[in-house]
Amino acid sequence: MQYLDNYLQSKGGYDYKNVKRNELMKAQGFKEMPFTKTGTTIVGVLFDGGVVMAADTRATAGSIVADKNCEKLHVLAPNVWAAGAGTAADLHHQCAHFNAKLKLQRLNLNRQSRVNEVITKLTSKLFPYRGNIGVALIIGGIDCNGPQLASVSPHGNYVYHPFQSMGSGSLAALGILEAKFQDGLTKQQAIDLAIEAIEAGIFHDMGSGSNVDVVAITKDGADYKRNVRQYNAKSYQRQIPYDFPINNTPALRKYQFDIEKQELTEVGQEMEIIE
Amino acid sequence: MYIPMNEMLKHFKQDVPTMANITHKSEQWSPYHDNSGTVLAVGIPGAVIVAGDTRLSNGYNIMSRDATKLSQLTDKCVLATAGQYADFIALRKFLQQRLQLYEFQNEVQASTETVAHLLSRELYSRRFFPYYTFNLLAGLDENNHGFVYGYDAIGSYDKMTYGVQGSGQELVVAVLDNQLKGYNKINKTIPQTREEILDIILDCFSCAAERDIHTGDNVEILIITSAGTERLIKPLRKD
């Protein structure tokens, strides 16, 4: 059957066999499964000699905070980093996949990875899935063509721009970036601007929160600062500590396992829940 | 990857071809908006403590960091509401006016039990277009013992010693069950003093603010006793 695969591949164009499969499943009554998104604020800022990327650290599942301090800045190559917004599982797996793919390519070619090849690989993968892989990424890096910053949308669209923001807090961050960005920033100015933009997202968007992570990528390498800012400590500490004495929880049933006889027996009588 | 049959079948449904299944469902305008937030109230002999966060939200946006969810209706009782803010304001207006009329006609303020019953009847009067409000009515009864009446959206109510409503309800109520009622404890040591209970309430709000995105900014606390009302404001996470 190898010749058939080769023939189909050489035909070119798009592979629509999943579309037929989806239609069949829908006809049989398949309920489309919803995926969990993470509210996020991520930004990227280009400066003279490199690129700065920053992200908040809150992961939400609906309206509950699932992770108060997660990492949203992923390494794709030593000189190319990605900040991710969207479905957490998709982000993690896609970034890990491309990290490995790029590493293999670097070993084969003995050459540094480039930002535009990362973008091409990503968009080629995302487009056929028509936005169902929920990753909205900001890709930033420095290579032989200089520092570059681009954002990739889940449908496979990409745009190069000196400053970017993505996620539910993107509008809050974009306001700060539009107001304060200029060409020819220094590294420290770019870092401060990125942190300010994330701050706006943290306080004004409820899908983003907790701390700020920053990475500054220059020719000398990537300078990753985890939790460079921590604003919101827990607001109240109990004066009288909680007291959970030992043996104060009622057991409804007690079992005893005899190792030698390999037997499970019930001990005592079944208790009722005490209210 | 092997998926068990019962897991697979959950995603298939045998559907009768009714209009609902055939026509394309569009996003319909809804008259209800959930402005969220958390309120709780605890009653002890001699006092009742009502607390509510002050954040007003709409989706992922914050409309106000300083919006009260508590409303003192009489000297002895306070209404705490989570849900739609517009409906809270309408309900509060109605209750304030009706209780003022009661005071004029009867020359005495309505008792907490009376207010509770009035609120229930008002909520049920809108049975087929409900107030999107999840209320707690907290107050002192005739013996100056604090009680809380918890309501659903259409007026069913019950007298309790403590209650929680709002987006942080699931996060907080289990803690209060364990601490204030001694659920799952053999030797129940239930806090009796105002200070201990205030400590627990502040901790509950601080924890709810950690994990619920709709709770935060400040927590406003009203303590009602026969001597009067005391008001406290404590800060919470602002993100």
Side-chain angles (χ1 to χ4, degrees), chain B residues 223-236:
Chain B
I223 306 168
I224 319 288
T225 55
S226 49
T229 310
E230 199 185 314
R231 186 163 176 260
L232 298 167
I233 300 193
K234 298 279 180 189
L236 288 177

Side-chain angles (χ1 to χ4, degrees), chain A residues 16-203:
Chain A
Y16 283 110
K17 66 174 185 284
N18 279 345
V19 176
K20 185 123 184 121
R21 179 204 70 177
N22 290 348
E23 277 170 9
L24 258 159
M25 287 171 97
K26 235 188 202 148
Q28 286 172 329
F30 195 92
K31 244 185 330 176
E32 251 193 83
M33 289 179 280
F35 27 81
T36 48
K37 296 187 129 247
T38 59
T40 302
T41 311
I42 47 174
V43 300
V45 180
L46 211 56
F47 66 92
D48 254 352
V51 67
V52 166
M53 292 173 25
D56 75 305
T57 61
R58 174 183 280 182
T60 52
S63 73
I64 300 287
V65 176
D67 192 343
K68 292 192 268 191
N69 207 2
C70 70
E71 287 186 40
K72 302 192 189 181
L73 293 169
H74 309 274
V75 188
L76 295 180
N79 59 325
V80 180
W81 282 60
T87 309
D90 285 338
L91 280 167
H92 180 252
H93 284 275
Q94 294 303 316
C95 287
H97 172 81
F98 284 108
N99 188 333
K101 202 165 176 181
L102 288 169
K103 182 153 193 186
L104 264 171
Q105 191 185 44
R106 282 201 302 279
L107 289 168
N108 272 324
L109 302 178
N110 199 20
R111 201 162 287 172
Q112 198 191 42
S113 300
R114 300 188 193 182
V115 176
N116 55 10
E117 93 195 359
V118 175
I119 305 277
T120 317
K121 286 183 164 58
L122 259 171
T123 51
S124 315
K125 171 104 193 252
L126 293 176
F127 182 65
Y129 286 89
R130 301 182 52 167
N132 284 315
I133 296 186
V135 298
L137 296 158
I138 296 182
I139 313 286
I142 186 159
D143 56 23
C144 53
N145 296 323
Q148 287 154 80
L149 181 68
S151 71
V152 177
S153 84
H155 283 270
N157 174 50
Y158 63 93
V159 69
Y160 283 87
H161 200 67
F163 57 90
Q164 306 273 9
S165 75
M166 301 284 261
S168 62
S170 64
L171 293 172
L174 210 52
I176 302 286
L177 290 172
E178 286 285 359
K180 298 195 175 177
F181 179 82
Q182 314 165 4
D183 282 323
L185 289 168
T186 65
K187 179 175 166 185
Q188 193 53 48
Q189 285 175 330
I191 291 178
D192 290 337
L193 177 59
I195 292 177
E196 233 186 291
I198 298 288
E199 229 182 87
I202 285 176
F203 287 108

Side-chain angles (χ1 to χ4, degrees), chain B residues 73 77-81 87-88 90-92 94-95 98-99 111-126 131 133-138 149-157:
Chain B
L73 298 173
C77 78
V78 170
L79 175 70
T81 307
D87 281 353
F88 163 59
L91 194 59
R92 180 181 70 180
F94 166 81
L95 287 171
R98 185 62 189 82
L99 290 172
S111 69
T112 305
E113 205 179 319
T114 308
V115 181
H117 191 64
L118 173 67
L119 177 56
S120 169
R121 279 179 40 237
E122 172 59 16
L123 290 171
Y124 197 79
S125 73
R126 292 274 295 256
Y131 287 99
T133 51
F134 299 97
N135 302 294
L136 290 171
L137 188 80
Y149 294 87
Y151 294 78
D152 70 353
I154 49 175
S156 146
Y157 75 107

Side-chain angles (χ1 to χ4, degrees), chain B residues 155-175:
Chain B
S156 146
Y157 75 107
D158 199 20
K159 192 174 183 180
M160 317 177 288
T161 44
Y162 63 90
V164 195
Q165 291 279 17
S167 55
Q169 179 181 31
E170 292 89 0
L171 296 166
V172 170
V173 78
V175 178

